[in-house]
Amino acid sequence: RMIFLGDKSAFDEDLQQKMIKLEEGEYLSDRIGESYINWQHGDVIMMNVSCGKGKTTFCIKELYHHYLKNDYRIIYLCNRLSLKAQIIKDSANELSMHEYEGLPPEVLCNVKDFEGRVFFETYQGLGNIYKRNLKYRPECFDGRKVLLIMDEVHYFTSDCMFSTSPEYVFNGIQKQFSDAITVVMTATDW
């Protein structure tokens, strides 16, 4: 099942008809409410929403708490180390993990996970794992319920012109996490 949310017209006309639209001044959490509690394994939730509409905030403040409480493992993927460091900082703050307070970005971007429950990786890092025909942290994910958050997913179209990594990441995710609840986010037209 695919769920489309957006305030843009980047999808084709058929998808545009199915898209749940955000109204002017509305944040993502306003539109979604608590419907995320009904998301199922294998669902893909595509969010093509402008900057400042609360995509990351919704994931960190709403999804983390619900899915961790329900014994999910969460993977947060993004396209740049600087964004990874910011996501880790915001995640640590929301989850009251005070040991990460005040750490500089160059230290934060090396954090791999929080207590084996929330994992952080760049697409490039994941691509390097999948290029070697390996799985990403199978000891943590095999047989577990997974919420996969893919931020800045336009990476797959923007970086594919100069890197083979997107192909490995895309195929690896399909093989390893096909049963995950997958949240795909971008503010960029693609």
Side-chain angles (χ1 to χ4, degrees):
R1 181 172 71 146
M2 294 190 80
I3 301 167
F4 301 96
L5 299 138
D7 64 353
K8 303 169 83 80
S9 58
F11 296 108
D12 69 31
E13 192 172 316
D14 183 47
L15 296 178
Q16 189 72 27
Q17 299 300 316
K18 298 175 185 175
M19 185 185 297
I20 300 167
K21 298 220 191 277
L22 268 68
E23 301 299 325
E24 184 72 30
E26 188 175 39
Y27 288 96
L28 192 60
S29 58
D30 300 331
R31 176 58 60 186
I32 293 176
E34 291 188 355
S35 65
Y36 58 87
I37 64 174
N38 297 314
W39 293 349
Q40 304 166 15
H41 299 284
D43 282 356
V44 177
I45 298 83
M46 298 183 73
M47 301 177 185
N48 188 219
V49 180
S50 299
C51 292
K53 294 291 186 170
K55 295 179 297 294
T56 304
T57 301
F58 171 74
C59 290
I60 293 173
K61 291 191 176 288
E62 303 292 333
L63 297 184
Y64 275 20
H65 293 289
H66 174 74
Y67 287 100
L68 287 172
K69 182 176 72 177
N70 287 286
D71 201 32
Y72 276 72
R73 297 295 181 256
I74 299 172
I75 308 169
Y76 201 113
L77 297 174
C78 62
N79 62 338
R80 302 289 180 252
L81 287 173
S82 58
L83 178 57
K84 179 183 173 188
Q86 185 62 49
I87 296 298
I88 291 167
K89 178 182 174 187
D90 294 347
S91 299
N93 184 51
E94 180 62 28
L95 298 173
S96 300
M97 303 194 75
H98 304 293
E99 62 268 32
Y100 297 97
E101 286 178 10
L103 293 177
E106 57 273 9
V107 173
L108 287 173
C109 71
N110 290 311
V111 173
K112 297 292 182 195
D113 65 83
F114 290 166
E115 301 172 350
R117 300 187 71 210
V118 182
F119 298 79
F120 307 96
E121 189 58 77
T122 62
Y123 294 115
Q124 297 85 344
L126 193 59
N128 289 333
I129 292 166
Y130 287 145
K131 277 181 191 178
R132 296 188 315 247
N133 246 358
L134 301 173
K135 283 183 165 184
Y136 175 69
R137 310 280 300 263
E139 72 282 2
C140 300
F141 297 108
D142 286 358
R144 304 297 297 222
K145 298 181 288 186
V146 175
L147 172 66
L148 176 62
I149 301 169
M150 300 173 67
D151 200 352
E152 303 292 353
V153 76
H154 59 271
Y155 157 83
F156 288 99
T157 56
S158 63
D159 286 20
C160 69
M161 302 303 268
F162 57 86
S163 172
T164 59
S165 189
E167 179 182 351
Y168 286 102
V169 174
F170 186 81
N171 291 331
I173 286 172
Q174 282 187 315
K175 288 177 188 170
Q176 187 175 2
F177 299 112
S178 63
D179 201 34
I181 296 172
T182 304
V183 176
V184 178
M185 304 186 300
T186 187
T188 303
D189 290 341
W190 51 304

